[in-house]
Amino acid sequence: MAVGPASFPDMPVIEGLRLGTARAGIKTAGRRDLVVIEVPQGATVAGTFTRNAFCAAPVSVAREHLASCRMRGEAPRYLVVNTGNANAGTGDIGLRDARDTCAELAHLAGVAANQVLPFSTGVIGETLPMERLLAGLPEALRGLDEGAEGWAAAGEGILTTDTRPKGASVTVRLGDETVTINGISKGSGMIKPNMATMLGFVATDAAIAPSLLDELLRETVARSFNCITVDGDTSTNDACMLIATGRGARVDDEHRLAVFRDALQGLMIELAQAIVRDGEGATKFVSLQVDGAVTREEALDVAFTVAHSPLVKTALAASDANWGRILAAVGRAPVEDFDVSRVTIDLGEVRLVEHGGCAAGYTEEAGSAVMAREEIAIRIALGRGERSATVWTTDLTREYVAINADYRS
Amino acid sequence: MAVGPASFPDMPVIEGLRLGTARAGIKTAGRRDLVVIEVPQGATVAGTFTRNAFCAAPVSVAREHLASCRMRGEAPRYLVVNTGNANAGTGDIGLRDARDTCAELAHLAGVAANQVLPFSTGVIGETLPMERLLAGLPEALRGLDEGAEGWAAAGEGILTTDTRPKGASVTVRLGDETVTINGISKGSGMIKPNMATMLGFVATDAAIAPSLLDELLRETVARSFNCITVDGDTSTNDACMLIATGRGARVDDEHRLAVFRDALQGLMIELAQAIVRDGEGATKFVSLQVDGAVTREEALDVAFTVAHSPLVKTALAASDANWGRILAAVGRAPVEDFDVSRVTIDLGEVRLVEHGGCAAGYTEEAGSAVMAREEIAIRIALGRGERSATVWTTDLTREYVAINADYRS
């Protein structure tokens, strides 16, 4: 199940950026489960990672390698991703396995081990099948491809419980040049702010200074991947990487930066929303906008309290305009001195709540008509201040439970 | 579905405390949906209410009446509870209806309107069917009963999606006298700390000063009703009332207070756990104990993060010892400077996690054997300090979704 049509664009080439995959049989034989991304020399790479205290071994190693490359003024040359096994909760063995993966790929490709960043996603708590994983690396390297097929195969190769690959591409003009941004993402369950079980790999041919690339990644992730939630769980493995090959136009003035930032933000939101649309068991795609908050943090708190409410989510699944559940969720959000009589709640174009109760003129028929849609917008105005936030989420269905009760069996 | 055998004790009489019910047809014809509790003169009454900012009209009125009784040195004489309709999100009409209910009962019983406290539970956002509700009051008054049948009928009369009534009774010796505590509770979904959709009515014949009664209620609710969660949602209507008729032994010295407090705490926990055992769709009863925290607050944060994780809850439903999900939930709890290498996680008698990963000697077989049980204890030791907390929760099943997607239809 997923909301809306699947679409994976024909990705344009980003010169020097090549992607290869293999079927290593990490969890399931015959599945594309190993991805190698080759970063050309002279590129810049930025990364953001899970804040889960139990972060997975590959996250520790990727952070460490990225930092050591930065210190030496270099960039990572390879990213290696396996699915089917998260290499999380695996202690010292997990760290060794992540390092061994990097070492083997570095050996095969002729780079230093710390120029390889490892990523894993899948079941937590089982050690990697290293023999099969390492045996898959030559195949992935042989298949490195700069073109649309490379991107498409990689988009498929990073999936776990996802039902479809997620990709986005945008090309924008910077003066008389153009820059391209391509991205792929994965994630379907255990989705929540602060990098859930999601991986995002975004590459551009733009030339961007490292510190600016870091800032752009942080800013755009804050308003995309960190604003989605399927089930409120945050994984041990999440990462979003932004690669700038530097072979295209320079992002070196305010105007160019503004254009590039907008394009990147749009692409990040598209990739993040694609994860929600493919949320486990999802039948609805819900935009939750909170306005009139004192701070953006407060707006996010209210939005996520509603987005995580199982009662709101099951009402969405049932296309039931049970606005009382939305109101109850807003009311339990962590907001100080909350005057609920100023709150309004709109479902699409229909006003549900005002003056602390059901809006005058509201009819069940009008509410149900909006709830029946596949894409639903809920807007909550707090009447306290000027700040806003939007998060995206799904409904909670029997299928979500079925998927997660049966995942390992 | 519910976990463990149903049991509703034969309640002993608490002299002067009478309970009556009626079938008023508030939502469903023929269902016992109106309960009146008569409090004898000279009693003391304490109450604790939802912290949801959108609190229901009856909560506002009950708080106000309780405060005005206190100011005049009196106690409420009647509690009136309806199910089938929460009278929440109903604005000024809701407030008027709650006041009218009190006024009518006061008129019929010959007391002042502010000596009546109203309680409602059920669907949010619909106005009360006042004609039917008021028409049911004489029947409830005529049936007032001090005995076990009065308690049993009231235990049934306060239910909504509950599958069975919840009652507990305890009698303890205070010197050469005894005191009795009886209690009933309701709640099944929308259960979370800070008074979820739950109502608790507890009465004792002990004589206790008002300020001490307040303190006892606050203390014992903090470690019972506020330590349970089914789905993380907090309702607009929750309340727990503690009535001391004062006709029995006095709780007036340290020793007697300690004995009484223990008995009351035990009874409160029993009533709270009964709500979890009857959690919507529940097939498991889970005790989550967190030790080694710096503060009790921190221990509660970790416990509730795990208890609310849909991935942990679906694993419990599947009897799947997917300890990685527990570890991931612990890792995302809001704990500063969290050294996860010191954390241990035990499932029943089986150690799951130590040194940041799977415990040495752990076998899937041993984990699965514990997970197959209907009652499961999870113990998480943080290794940071001396404080602990225990919360009780359920699994998340397809039936939970079915119940909540279909509730209004």
Side-chain angles (χ1 to χ4, degrees):
Chain A
M1 268 200 289
V3 183
S7 75
F8 192 94
D10 253 355
M11 302 281 206
V13 167
I14 290 179
E15 198 194 310
L17 196 294
R18 301 194 300 163
L19 307 100
T21 65
R23 300 171 199 271
I26 286 165
K27 179 162 171 252
T28 311
R31 180 165 179 159
R32 215 186 285 274
D33 54 9
L34 190 62
V35 176
V36 170
I37 302 176
E38 186 182 70
V39 179
Q41 271 189 310
T44 305
V45 176
T48 177
F49 299 93
T50 183
R51 293 185 205 157
N52 195 305
F54 273 109
C55 77
V59 169
S60 299
V61 174
R63 270 203 193 104
E64 182 187 307
H65 286 188
L66 190 58
S68 75
C69 284
R70 275 287 172 93
M71 276 192 20
R72 295 199 315 279
E74 294 174 348
R77 294 296 316 284
Y78 291 90
L79 280 53
V80 54
V81 192
N82 74 272
T83 72
N85 184 314
N87 191 12
T90 45
D92 290 341
I93 295 173
L95 284 169
R96 190 200 59 199
D97 289 347
R99 289 189 212 290
D100 286 355
T101 304
C102 295
E104 176 68 11
L105 181 58
H107 169 71
L108 293 169
V111 300
N114 66 7
Q115 289 184 294
V116 180
L117 308 184
F119 303 86
S120 298
T121 176
V123 175
I124 295 174
E126 294 176 12
T127 55
L128 283 173
M130 284 301 287
E131 204 171 322
R132 297 201 295 279
L133 193 161
L134 297 185
L137 292 174
E139 182 189 336
L141 283 173
R142 273 195 306 275
L144 284 171
D145 180 351
E146 210 174 47
E149 281 180 34
W151 280 97
E156 186 197 321
I158 61 174
L159 306 181
T160 53
T161 57
D162 310 58
T163 68
R164 58 201 198 185
K166 298 157 184 69
S169 179
V170 62
T171 298
V172 288
R173 292 202 68 80
L174 294 186
D176 49 7
E177 299 169 285
T178 60
V179 294
T180 294
I181 315 174
N182 288 350
I184 54 175
S185 65
K186 67 88 35 179
S188 185
M190 217 192 226
I191 296 299
K192 199 206 126 138
N194 306 328
M195 301 287 98
T197 297
M198 69 132 264
L199 296 173
F201 299 101
V202 178
T204 176
D205 52 357
I208 306 175
S211 62
L212 182 55
L213 198 70
D214 289 349
E215 191 189 313
L216 281 167
L217 179 62
R218 199 173 53 241
E219 265 182 40
T220 54
V221 163
R223 288 168 188 265
S224 58
F225 293 113
N226 282 348
C227 286
I228 60 174
T229 180
V230 171
D231 52 21
D233 269 305
T234 305
S235 126
T236 49
N237 288 60
D238 310 321
C240 184
M241 306 303 297
L242 177 56
I243 301 162
T245 65
R247 299 190 175 189
R250 298 203 64 80
V251 175
D252 56 2
D253 66 30
E254 277 306 308
H255 172 69
R256 289 177 162 223
L257 177 58
V259 172
F260 185 83
R261 182 193 280 121
D262 280 358
L264 180 65
Q265 184 68 78
L267 178 128
M268 289 285 201
I269 288 174
E270 195 178 337
L271 288 175
Q273 290 186 347
I275 292 175
V276 174
R277 286 174 196 280
D278 196 21
E280 288 173 346
T283 67
K284 306 276 183 183
F285 176 81
V286 185
S287 296
L288 256 164
Q289 181 183 336
V290 176
D291 295 329
V294 175
T295 61
R296 178 167 159 84
E297 200 52 49
E298 180 177 285
L300 283 168
D301 280 346
V302 172
F304 279 119
T305 303
V306 176
H308 289 150
S309 161
L311 289 170
V312 171
K313 292 171 99 73
T314 48
L316 285 162
S319 295
D320 174 8
N322 192 326
W323 55 268
R325 294 186 182 175
I326 304 174
L327 177 151
V330 171
R332 73 177 168 85
V335 174
E336 294 286 323
D337 302 321
F338 194 0
D339 178 1
V340 294
S341 72
R342 306 178 71 140
V343 172
T344 59
I345 304 177
D346 295 293
L347 178 70
E349 67 281 10
V350 177
R351 167 91 14 133
L352 295 178
V353 170
E354 61 190 3
H355 307 309
C358 187
Y362 171 73
T363 64
E364 186 97 12
E365 197 186 351
S368 299
V370 179
M371 279 303 242
R373 296 174 195 156
E374 215 181 43
E375 308 226 348
I376 295 171
I378 299 174
R379 182 171 170 273
I380 300 161
L382 304 182
R384 295 162 53 86
E386 301 295 321
R387 304 306 300 274
S388 299
T390 301
V391 308
W392 300 283
T393 191
T394 60
D395 52 345
L396 171 62
T397 62
R398 291 172 182 79
E399 285 69 30
Y400 174 87
V401 177
I403 290 166
N404 284 295
D406 302 337
Y407 182 54
R408 295 212 311 180
S409 53
Chain B
M1 269 201 289
V3 184
S7 75
F8 192 94
D10 255 354
M11 303 280 205
V13 167
I14 291 179
E15 198 192 310
L17 194 295
R18 301 194 302 166
L19 307 101
T21 64
R23 299 172 201 270
I26 287 166
K27 178 161 172 253
T28 310
R31 180 165 178 159
R32 215 186 285 274
D33 54 8
L34 191 61
V35 176
V36 170
I37 302 176
E38 186 183 70
V39 179
Q41 269 188 312
T44 305
V45 176
T48 177
F49 299 93
T50 182
R51 292 183 207 158
N52 194 306
F54 273 109
C55 76
V59 168
S60 298
V61 174
R63 271 203 193 106
E64 181 188 308
H65 286 189
L66 189 58
S68 74
C69 284
R70 274 287 172 91
M71 275 191 22
R72 295 198 317 277
E74 294 175 347
R77 293 294 316 285
Y78 290 90
L79 280 52
V80 54
V81 192
N82 74 272
T83 72
N85 183 315
N87 191 11
T90 45
D92 291 340
I93 295 172
L95 284 169
R96 188 199 62 199
D97 288 347
R99 290 188 211 290
D100 285 355
T101 305
C102 296
E104 176 67 11
L105 181 57
H107 169 71
L108 293 169
V111 300
N114 66 6
Q115 290 185 295
V116 181
L117 308 185
F119 303 86
S120 298
T121 176
V123 175
I124 296 174
E126 294 176 11
T127 56
L128 282 173
M130 284 301 287
E131 204 172 323
R132 298 201 294 279
L133 194 161
L134 298 184
L137 291 174
E139 181 189 337
L141 283 172
R142 276 195 305 274
L144 284 172
D145 180 351
E146 210 174 45
E149 279 179 37
W151 281 97
E156 187 196 320
I158 61 174
L159 306 182
T160 52
T161 57
D162 310 57
T163 68
R164 57 202 199 185
K166 299 158 184 68
S169 178
V170 62
T171 299
V172 288
R173 291 204 68 82
L174 294 187
D176 48 8
E177 299 169 284
T178 61
V179 294
T180 294
I181 315 174
N182 288 351
I184 54 176
S185 64
K186 70 86 36 178
S188 185
M190 218 190 226
I191 296 299
K192 196 203 127 142
N194 307 328
M195 301 286 98
T197 297
M198 67 133 265
L199 295 172
F201 299 101
V202 178
T204 177
D205 52 357
I208 307 175
S211 62
L212 182 55
L213 198 71
D214 289 348
E215 191 188 313
L216 280 168
L217 179 62
R218 198 173 53 242
E219 265 183 38
T220 55
V221 164
R223 287 168 188 265
S224 57
F225 293 113
N226 282 348
C227 285
I228 61 174
T229 180
V230 170
D231 52 20
D233 268 306
T234 305
S235 127
T236 49
N237 287 60
D238 310 320
C240 184
M241 306 303 298
L242 177 57
I243 302 162
T245 66
R247 298 189 176 189
R250 298 202 65 77
V251 175
D252 56 2
D253 66 29
E254 277 306 307
H255 172 70
R256 287 175 164 226
L257 178 58
V259 171
F260 184 83
R261 182 192 281 121
D262 279 359
L264 180 65
Q265 184 68 77
L267 178 126
M268 290 285 201
I269 289 174
E270 195 178 336
L271 288 175
Q273 289 187 346
I275 291 173
V276 175
R277 285 174 197 280
D278 196 21
E280 288 174 346
T283 66
K284 306 276 183 182
F285 176 82
V286 185
S287 296
L288 257 165
Q289 181 183 336
V290 176
D291 295 329
V294 175
T295 60
R296 177 167 159 83
E297 199 51 48
E298 179 176 285
L300 283 169
D301 281 346
V302 172
F304 279 119
T305 303
V306 176
H308 290 150
S309 161
L311 289 170
V312 171
K313 293 172 98 74
T314 48
L316 285 161
S319 297
D320 174 6
N322 193 326
W323 56 266
R325 293 186 183 175
I326 304 175
L327 176 153
V330 170
R332 72 177 168 88
V335 174
E336 293 286 324
D337 301 321
F338 195 0
D339 178 0
V340 295
S341 72
R342 306 178 71 140
V343 171
T344 59
I345 304 177
D346 295 293
L347 179 69
E349 67 281 10
V350 176
R351 167 95 10 137
L352 294 179
V353 169
E354 62 190 1
H355 307 309
C358 187
Y362 171 73
T363 65
E364 186 96 13
E365 197 187 349
S368 298
V370 178
M371 279 302 243
R373 295 173 195 157
E374 215 180 44
E375 307 224 350
I376 294 172
I378 299 173
R379 181 171 171 272
I380 299 160
L382 305 182
R384 294 162 54 87
E386 302 294 321
R387 304 306 300 274
S388 298
T390 300
V391 308
W392 300 281
T393 192
T394 59
D395 51 347
L396 171 61
T397 62
R398 291 172 182 78
E399 285 69 29
Y400 174 86
V401 177
I403 291 166
N404 283 295
D406 302 337
Y407 181 55
R408 295 210 312 182
S409 53

